[in-house]
Amino acid sequence: MNWISNYVRPKINSLFSRREVPENLWTKCDDCGTMLFHRELSDNLNVCTNCGHHMAITPRDRFTALFDGGVFAEISVPEPIADPLHFRDQKKYPDRMRAAQKSTGEKEAMLVAEGEIGRTPIVAACQDFSFMGGSMGMFVGNAIIAAAERATELGRPLILFSAAGGARMQEGILSLMQMPRTTVALQLLKEAGLPYIVVLTHPTTGGVTASYAMLGDVHIAEPNALICFAGPRVIEQTIREKLPEGFQRAEYLLDHGMLDRVTKRTELRNELITITRMLMKKPPRVVGDLPPPDPTAVQTATEAAPQETAKE
Amino acid sequence: MTNYLEFEKPLAEIEGKAEELRAMARSNEEMDVEDEAKALDKKAADLLVDLYKSLTPWRKCQVARHPDRPHCKDYIEALFTEYTPLAGDRNFADDHAVMGGLARFNDQPVVVIGQEKGNDTKSRIERNFGMARPEGYRKAIRLMEMADKFGLPIITLVDTAGAYPGKGAEERGQSEAIARSTEKCLQVKVPLITAIIGEGGSGGAVAFATANRVLMLEHSVYSVISPEGCASILWKDAEKMREAAEALRLTAQNLKELGVCDRIIDEPLGGAHRDKDAAIDSVREAIAAALADLSNEAPEVILSNRRKKFLSMGSKGLAA
């Protein structure tokens, strides 16, 4: 670093970019290009208010919108061995990890939490596509196991939001082993008679689709989400023909019987409440915005989490 | 006519020369070339030992994909008696990439399921190069259910580049079929033994290989992605497959260390394709040992041990 890169370049950049809208205030819709006011967009859960396009949302923002009063207790996930294969491509795997941690502010590609939705206690897990493409490695496996174990222990449904490019290549065969590994975890949940609901978000592909994302009691997808095993590019290269419009999108999978529903993000919370309450044989939900749950209840939940890790 | 791999070129030259000499001698009786030919044989044998002593991961991939390597069909024909193929997924079609049915292994009735790549153009096309479609996985699920119902051990033979990436396969739920097949592997209470005989390609292999015992031939590979695929994503250059093969740790030897492979089955010198019978015999012995090992365990224990095995996978990494 010298003063050219520290001082002159930002100055030049700012001269040219001044005409652009300041970041943080406006976001351009990836699809229709409409400029969206930041607060309005986040109030609408990152769904374009003009065209309805669903943009990415972080697991934390999703949980804040999902749980009653935005209150949830994070469930800690046992730490796997770091870089088990000493993997190195053009970069070292630990360096890629650090870069992802820095850019997302998260430890890994999945967040697990417990709390209430419409006064219905649940456990939720959410994959983070912005963290190395949401890729499924040992940590994601551990997270799903922790979520399934916690849900079984508390007798709650598990709601999982999937988003991933597939398995994490940097963990080689051990990432592939997360397919059977997470399947075992979900079997424990199913054998306990607890609902497992998958919300497939854009994109859900590869080994993730071919394991826990397709083993739910109910499959809901967000509109236009890409959901597939082999990506469209790989298929085009294999069969050497152009794929039809909308191929492997949520609506296409709905038509082909792979999903139960395609639901807008803004309507998802209510739908999840309705479904989980019916599957748990609870009385109909109370409609409307609910205040955060009883603070004492949340406190016990937060206290319970560390105990859980201590036991493991 | 032997098919030589790229790294076997020097060997091909020597063996070719010896063959030429002998052919000349046959047409010209006065010529005595035996000594010379024998010297060449010796040289070739030494080179073969040398080449196969320490194959690089990429070379292992090439050996695992060798067109002359014994395939699923060869093993089924040699290892089993009364093989009775059972077809169809009862939904859509019969997938010829997946062979399967009832058979006897050392007289014991079993269910055998495997991926067959084919060995000439016609059979390769018919078998779709061993790349199964959803129907193949659903056929496997059906056969595993049957095995479970009648208490027959399941033996799977894995040899696939991966599940087929095609339009129809996606439409009919390739991912769901794979997920359900893996799930079925984790539900059956009978012994489930897998032999990876060539390529274990990603999800397409896992769906068959979630077993009590995973046996791997010495030069077989098992990976989350092909070296070419990994190279084109991480190196942005498919030609970097050698580096990718190295980084992925996909050899039987690496996988044994990681606890993914339970036993390595030795191959004849120069790979299974140089002595098919010997390779098949070793596989027979290994499967028999694994079956014997599991024969006294209660069905519930067999299942719970299989689940525990996969749940605890990844607890150790490779030594630095």
Side-chain angles (χ1 to χ4, degrees), chain A residues 84-141:
Chain A
L85 307 184
H86 318 298
F87 194 97
R88 182 186 187 136
D89 50 87
Q90 286 170 311
K91 275 188 204 158
K92 283 184 186 158
Y93 178 35
D95 292 343
R96 281 191 191 267
M97 278 290 280
R98 269 191 291 276
Q101 283 165 343
K102 210 174 156 199
S103 72
T104 59
E106 293 290 346
K107 202 165 75 179
E108 251 278 6
M110 190 172 262
L111 190 66
V112 188
E114 59 186 67
E116 294 186 353
I117 58 167
R119 291 278 186 270
T120 322
I122 62 149
V123 172
C126 185
Q127 217 158 354
D128 189 350
F129 188 73
S130 62
F131 194 106
M132 291 184 77
S135 53
M136 166 183 71
M138 290 292 296
F139 184 92
V140 168

Side-chain angles (χ1 to χ4, degrees), chain A residues 20-21 25-38 40-41 44 46-53 55:
Chain A
E20 298 283 326
V21 202
L25 266 186
W26 295 88
T27 306
K28 197 169 159 185
C29 171
D30 307 336
D31 200 35
C32 70
T34 308
M35 298 307 286
L36 300 157
F37 188 53
H38 192 263
E40 197 184 355
L41 183 64
N44 204 37
N46 288 6
V47 178
C48 174
T49 46
N50 180 51
C51 70
H53 175 64
M55 282 174 262

Side-chain angles (χ1 to χ4, degrees), chain A residues 84-85 90 181 230 248 252, chain B residues 170-171 234 249 307 311 318:
Chain A
L85 307 184
Q90 286 170 311
R181 206 163 164 254
Q248 299 179 320
Y252 190 89
Chain B
E170 290 286 320
E171 277 173 348
L234 290 181
R249 317 283 181 179
R307 287 184 176 182
L311 210 49
L318 288 177

